């Protein structure tokens, strides 16, 4: 029997996404359309596609099928319009790329996309404040990779090659996060200025080269364009991956690794992956931190000291991995987790579906990203391939 929108998790996810759509101006007239945020919106698009998939598979599909698909495309268009241009409170105006008119609209991702923070980026003359930097706008490499994957999935879902081209252009914009160190090879920073002319945080994100490489390989494969540019970019990413280690005890980081196990397994069917990013290596790195995270969550740490989107990133990864076990078994990559690890996904979702826990400041202060992440975890149970494979 096909999964349906009437299942409890799907109904809960539907309610969460309806609230998000109203708050952020995707439906109705009361929301704030400028409330676009690249990471959150990347998962929101996938959630709308998942809801469309579930409803269309039901015995009595509703009008939601068409409206969810429209919401996915509306989100994409709004992200490109608002985050592909300088913010309203920025003295600069127009497309980040410097392109004008139709050219700017036709290539909204060619010079990257803003994070969506309300505070403008740090000026060159301003002192670096690591705490305040989290509140300032700019471009995040790991947000780029999230949006690239969403565009590639949406391209296949809607059979729209233009979305894949935008994904490829955004992927290549990531090359501007990489510099060459004399005699030391490439170096990467994880946050750049809005116009990609200067680093705002001169350090590399732990999994950025991994995410960047997988995205570049998939974008190149799906578009078969920009071969020369991708060849150079992929080579630099491979060098960075060879010098990196993926093990982490961060819940969100582990969840992303689990999703990437599935992605790497699929990629390996049509391209050669370096040893550092092969599925087995990623799975081993994820396993190293899983027991630590499981132990910490089992102690029922108070909601006010947790971040739902980080917890739900782990539960999403577990859902995606579990839903693709047959595929992973075919390619000798299946994990050997005990029941307690798999149960962690249920525990996380139940914890954050609790209305009392949703009253915590950490939940309400990050409402959009928390609710969208929770909805993604709930929907991934029924549509794991959507979140983990092309």
């Amino acid at each position: 029997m096909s999964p349906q929108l009437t299942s409890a998790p799907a109904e809960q996810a539907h309610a969460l996404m309806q609230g998000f759509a109203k708050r952020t101006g995707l439906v109705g007239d009361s929301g704030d359309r400028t409330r676009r945020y690249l990471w959150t919106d990347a998962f929101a698009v996938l959630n709308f596609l998942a809801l469309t998939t579930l409803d269309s598979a039901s015995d009595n599909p509703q009008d939601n099928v068409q409206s969810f698909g429209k919401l996915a495309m509306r989100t994409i268009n709004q992200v490109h319009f608002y985050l592909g241009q300088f913010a309203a409170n920025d003295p600069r105006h127009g497309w980040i790329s410097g392109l004008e008119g139709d050219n700017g609209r036709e290539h909204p991702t060619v010079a990257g996309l803003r994070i969506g923070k309300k505070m403008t980026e740090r000026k060159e003359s301003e002192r670096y404040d690591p705490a305040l930097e989290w509140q300032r706008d700019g471009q995040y490499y790991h947000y780029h990779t999230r949006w690239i994957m969403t565009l590639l999935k949406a391209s296949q879902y809607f059979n729209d090659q233009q979305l894949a081209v935008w994904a490829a252009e955004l992927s290549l914009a990531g090359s501007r996060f990489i510099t060459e160190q004399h005699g030391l090879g490439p170096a990467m920073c994880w946050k750049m200025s809005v116009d990609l002319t200067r680093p705002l945080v001169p350090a590399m994100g732990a999994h950025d080269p991994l995410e960047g490489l997988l995205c570049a390989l998939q974008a190149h494969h799906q578009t078969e364009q920009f071969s020369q540019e991708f060849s150079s970019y992929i080579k630099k990413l491979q060098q960075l991956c060879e010098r990196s280690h993926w093990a982490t005890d961060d819940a969100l980081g582990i969840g992303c690794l689990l999703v990437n196990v599935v992605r790497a397994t699929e990629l390996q069917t049509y391209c050669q992956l370096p040893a550092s990013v092969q599925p087995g290596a990623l799975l081993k790195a994820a396993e190293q931190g899983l027991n630590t995270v499981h132990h910490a969550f089992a102690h029922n740490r108070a909601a006010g000291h947790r971040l739902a989107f980080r917890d739900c990133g782990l539960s999403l990864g577990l859902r995606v991995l579990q839903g693709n076990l047959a595929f992973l078994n075919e390619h000798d990559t299946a994990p050997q987790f005990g029941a307690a690890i798999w149960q962690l996904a249920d525990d996380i979702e139940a914890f954050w579906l609790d209305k009392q826990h949703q009253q915590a400041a950490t939940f309400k202060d990050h409402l959009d990203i928390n609710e969208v992440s929770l909805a993604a975890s709930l929907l991934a149970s029924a549509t794991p391939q959507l979140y983990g494979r092309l």
Side-chain angles (χ1 to χ4, degrees):
M1 183 176 179
S2 300
Q4 297 185 17
L5 188 58
T6 52
S7 69
E11 288 180 343
Q12 292 163 327
H14 184 192
L16 291 168
M17 292 309 298
Q18 278 190 319
F20 169 79
K22 291 177 181 177
R23 286 193 305 274
T24 64
L26 293 172
V27 296
D29 299 321
S30 59
D32 179 8
R33 292 185 180 182
T34 66
R35 194 169 169 167
R36 302 271 56 94
Y37 193 77
L38 194 55
W39 177 279
T40 305
D41 288 329
F43 282 104
V45 170
L46 296 181
N47 291 352
F48 289 134
L49 296 181
L51 289 167
T52 305
T53 301
L54 293 177
D55 201 27
S56 61
S58 67
D59 295 331
N60 297 295
Q62 306 297 313
D63 292 337
N64 292 329
V65 172
Q66 184 177 14
S67 61
F68 287 141
K70 286 182 177 179
L71 285 176
M73 281 304 304
R74 192 171 300 158
T75 305
I76 291 171
N77 291 332
Q78 286 192 14
V79 163
H80 289 169
F81 182 79
Y82 289 107
L83 302 185
Q85 299 191 69
F86 293 106
N89 59 349
D90 193 309
R92 299 164 293 185
H93 301 287
W95 295 97
I96 293 170
S97 62
L99 298 174
E100 297 181 357
D102 289 342
N103 284 335
R105 282 185 287 273
E106 290 169 5
H107 302 279
T109 64
V110 72
L113 294 168
R114 293 189 297 112
I115 301 162
K117 301 281 188 183
K118 297 303 180 184
M119 185 180 292
T120 56
E121 69 184 9
R122 173 171 51 86
K123 297 177 182 177
E124 288 190 74
S125 59
E126 288 184 90
R127 183 179 178 181
Y128 173 67
D129 182 332
L132 189 60
E133 196 62 48
W134 287 102
Q135 308 303 319
R136 292 186 178 277
D137 208 13
Q139 295 204 36
Y140 281 167
Y141 189 87
H142 63 293
Y143 281 24
H144 278 198
T145 55
R146 192 61 52 198
W147 190 250
I148 291 163
M149 288 307 304
T150 292
L151 287 177
L152 291 175
K153 289 175 184 292
S155 172
Q156 290 197 333
Y157 194 94
F158 292 113
N159 192 26
D160 185 343
Q161 187 63 11
Q162 180 62 65
L163 296 174
V165 172
W166 286 338
E169 290 181 337
L170 182 57
S171 178
L172 290 171
S175 65
R176 296 170 69 176
F177 285 73
I178 300 176
T179 58
E180 286 290 337
Q181 295 180 309
H182 182 67
L184 298 175
M188 175 186 281
C189 64
W190 62 268
K191 184 179 183 182
M192 292 283 288
S193 61
V194 170
D195 60 7
L196 291 181
T197 60
R198 58 191 173 94
L200 295 178
V201 181
M204 186 173 73
H207 292 161
D208 282 358
L210 165 64
E211 296 272 346
L213 179 59
L214 297 184
C215 283
L217 290 169
Q218 288 180 322
H220 187 208
H221 174 77
Q222 197 163 324
T223 59
E224 296 183 352
Q225 295 185 32
F226 317 110
S227 292
Q228 185 173 350
E229 295 94 326
F230 267 120
S231 177
S232 174
Y233 181 41
I234 287 170
K235 182 178 180 180
K236 292 177 182 178
L237 289 169
Q238 288 175 332
Q239 289 178 283
L240 288 166
C241 286
E242 289 169 1
R243 307 200 310 255
S244 299
H245 302 281
W246 315 125
T248 177
D249 58 4
D250 172 69
L252 178 57
I254 295 171
C256 290
L257 277 175
L258 296 177
V259 172
N260 285 330
V261 169
V262 179
R263 290 173 58 194
T265 301
E266 184 175 40
L267 267 171
Q268 208 169 229
T269 64
Y270 54 80
C271 69
Q272 186 173 359
L273 296 178
S276 57
V277 301
Q278 287 181 2
L282 303 183
L283 184 59
K284 183 178 180 180
E287 287 173 337
Q288 291 180 36
L290 266 173
N291 288 329
T292 300
V293 172
H294 171 255
H295 180 75
F297 194 88
H299 280 74
N300 201 27
R301 188 179 179 191
H305 297 282
R306 309 189 69 90
L307 287 171
F309 71 90
R310 303 197 77 83
D311 286 343
C312 292
L314 174 56
S315 58
L316 172 65
L318 288 168
R319 295 297 190 202
V320 169
L321 202 68
Q322 189 170 36
N324 285 283
L325 282 178
F327 171 71
L328 295 173
N329 270 315
E330 290 175 9
H331 298 278
D332 301 318
T333 319
Q336 302 298 319
F337 296 161
I341 296 297
W342 293 120
Q343 177 63 33
L344 187 55
D346 290 329
D347 294 343
I348 289 172
E349 290 171 0
F351 185 91
W352 288 114
L353 284 169
D354 188 318
K355 297 299 182 183
Q356 183 176 350
H357 294 158
Q358 291 181 8
Q359 296 307 306
T362 56
F363 193 88
K364 294 193 290 186
D365 290 349
H366 307 279
L367 186 62
D368 290 347
I369 195 168
N370 285 335
E371 290 197 342
V372 169
S373 298
L374 177 56
S377 183
L378 293 166
L379 290 166
S381 295
T383 57
Q385 184 168 330
L386 180 63
Y387 294 87
R389 293 166 59 191
L390 288 176

